[in-house]
Amino acid sequence: MSIKKNKKSALSIKKGVSQVKKLDKKTIVKYTLSKKTRKTPKFFLEGILKNNISVLSQAITLIESSKKEHKDKSQEIINLCLPYSGKSLRVGITGVPGVGKSTFIEALGMMLVNKGKKVAVLAIDPSSKKSGGSILGDKTRMEELSASKNAFIRPSPAGSTLGGVTRKTAETIILCEAAGFDVIFVETVGVGQSELAVSSMTDFFLLLMLAGAGDELQGIKRGIMEMADAIVINKADGDNINKSRLAMAEYKNALHLFPASKSGWIPIVKTASAYTKNGIEEVWDTILEYEKLVTKTSYLFQKRNEQAKYRMYETINEELKNRFYNDIQNKKKISELEKKVLSGEISPYFAAKELLK
Ligand code: GDP
């Protein structure tokens, strides 16, 4: 577009094109936001492939943005990164708050970094939408690991539903892999549905537990235990060592009762301590054994394919739901019909059918 300067103002442009009168705050904000979008997808790809953490972070911010133009650009970046993805080992880690997840990931992560690996830590925590802070993100976490140049730690995106956080994290994994991270930890709090989300995007699922904390199952549902490829009785140090060994035996017995996994892998129970570092190396060896098995049997390939298919349908469901509820016409109709349901005029089933028409 050619800009014809006129004598009165440097901001005057060609007739017929809307003119910017002055650079007010709104215009400046808009300009700053659009800066990220003005960089081409190829620019992002090149930066990411060079393991440029600043470019990687900016691309992830585009994934997390709710703006359509940012989302569209992020999709282009993801597509460009896709051929370079898939090479990492994706490890999901869960457990109740306080079980020691971040301390454990820091110990394991540092061990890997010292072996020359590049480690990324992502978090899934939909609770972060409530307070702006989150269970996973509001404390100083993994200080040593975050200072390492071979580690990248990204807290859970705020202000999202579980479906949204899941999609964003799965897409972030692709970018991190293109950036050359060898191991990606996806961490979540063991409360609710987020474990399912984590297992839908990781290769190996690790459950951290504590010994002797009242009920041995600590509110972790049986279904979550069934998903685990390994259970680690954490904080097995000091007075806790014997109790941890006892708990290990109990969990081993409990796991025997579960049906065999499709992978052919028999879940392992171990004890570990991030304080003494006992057991940390063994947990990693277990993960590598699993990787060896599932690579040999092609189960890993199948599992990742199934995960991709699952995510496609999840995205469709989420998008359909969003479109339905955000439609202005629907919004009006929904509140009208809701009133009728509450006054007993029509049944909820009838109201839903009416709306879906
Ligand atoms: P998260 O909420 O699951 O991420 O747990 P944190 O990693 O923040 O740890 C919760 C508390 O347990 C902190 O006070 C840690 O210092 C402590 N902790 C973590 N790992 C260990 C461990 O291996 N042994 C002992 N004794 N305490 C630990």
Side-chain angles (χ1 to χ4, degrees), residues 200-342:
S200 77
M201 65 179 76
T202 52
D203 306 323
F204 189 92
F205 191 71
L206 180 69
L207 174 62
L208 291 185
M209 302 285 260
L210 292 175
D215 175 7
E216 284 299 6
L217 297 184
Q218 293 169 63
I220 295 278
K221 292 186 195 76
R222 192 191 137 105
I224 306 297
M225 279 181 62
E226 266 182 62
M227 277 162 29
D229 297 303
I231 293 180
V232 171
I233 317 297
N234 202 24
K235 305 192 190 180
D237 44 47
D239 295 345
N240 238 342
I241 294 182
N242 284 336
K243 268 193 279 179
S244 303
R245 288 201 185 121
L246 227 86
M248 179 167 76
E250 279 174 31
Y251 282 117
K252 273 187 179 164
N253 282 335
L255 286 185
H256 275 312
L257 305 174
F258 292 160
S261 143
K262 270 196 283 179
S263 61
W265 172 256
I266 297 162
I268 301 281
V269 189
K270 295 221 176 277
T271 60
S273 161
Y275 278 11
T276 63
K277 311 277 189 290
N278 276 337
I280 303 287
E281 181 104 38
E282 285 83 344
V283 171
W284 182 244
D285 289 344
T286 300
I287 297 174
L288 290 182
E289 263 173 54
Y290 171 88
E291 186 194 25
K292 211 164 130 192
L293 173 83
V294 293
T295 307
K296 202 172 97 193
T297 61
S298 301
Y299 176 79
L300 184 63
F301 177 74
Q302 276 171 35
K303 185 176 181 176
R304 286 186 174 183
N305 271 351
E306 269 170 35
Q307 289 173 336
K309 194 167 118 184
Y310 168 84
R311 260 199 310 284
M312 186 184 96
Y313 286 106
E314 275 295 295
T315 310
I316 295 173
N317 291 346
E318 181 94 353
E319 186 63 30
L320 284 176
K321 219 163 72 183
N322 286 346
R323 283 194 203 171
F324 176 78
Y325 284 110
N326 291 332
D327 183 281
I328 300 287
Q329 298 291 330
N330 282 350
K331 274 186 186 166
K332 266 195 236 150
K333 200 129 199 237
I334 288 172
S335 76
E336 276 166 28
L337 288 174
E338 188 190 287
K339 276 184 205 134
K340 288 187 181 174
V341 169
L342 293 180

Side-chain angles (χ1 to χ4, degrees), residues 54-169:
S54 155
V55 174
L56 173 66
S57 301
Q58 285 174 39
I60 297 174
T61 306
L62 289 175
I63 289 180
E64 291 171 355
S65 169
S66 54
K67 278 194 173 321
K68 189 179 176 304
E69 73 218 77
H70 291 173
K71 274 193 202 165
D72 290 349
K73 174 142 295 181
S74 74
Q75 289 310 318
E76 288 181 58
I77 301 168
I78 292 163
N79 279 341
L80 287 178
C81 286
L82 217 49
Y84 304 93
S85 71
K87 290 185 203 109
S88 82
L89 191 52
R90 308 164 181 170
V91 180
I93 297 193
T94 193
V96 292
V99 72
K101 289 179 295 298
S102 49
T103 319
F104 181 86
I105 293 174
E106 167 145 275
L108 181 53
M110 281 312 294
M111 187 198 87
L112 293 170
V113 162
N114 290 333
K115 283 180 193 281
K117 301 271 183 212
K118 283 193 160 65
V119 175
V121 183
L122 312 175
I124 290 196
D125 178 12
S127 68
S128 63
K129 72 174 171 179
K130 287 176 195 140
S131 53
S134 72
I135 306 178
L136 290 174
D138 55 4
K139 46 189 170 167
T140 315
R141 313 174 75 241
M142 305 177 214
E143 272 178 57
E144 208 186 341
L145 195 60
S146 49
S148 161
K149 71 172 177 28
N150 282 330
F152 174 69
I153 299 174
R154 183 87 180 186
S156 187
S160 259
T161 57
L162 177 59
V165 175
T166 309
R167 178 183 59 77
K168 290 166 191 175
T169 310

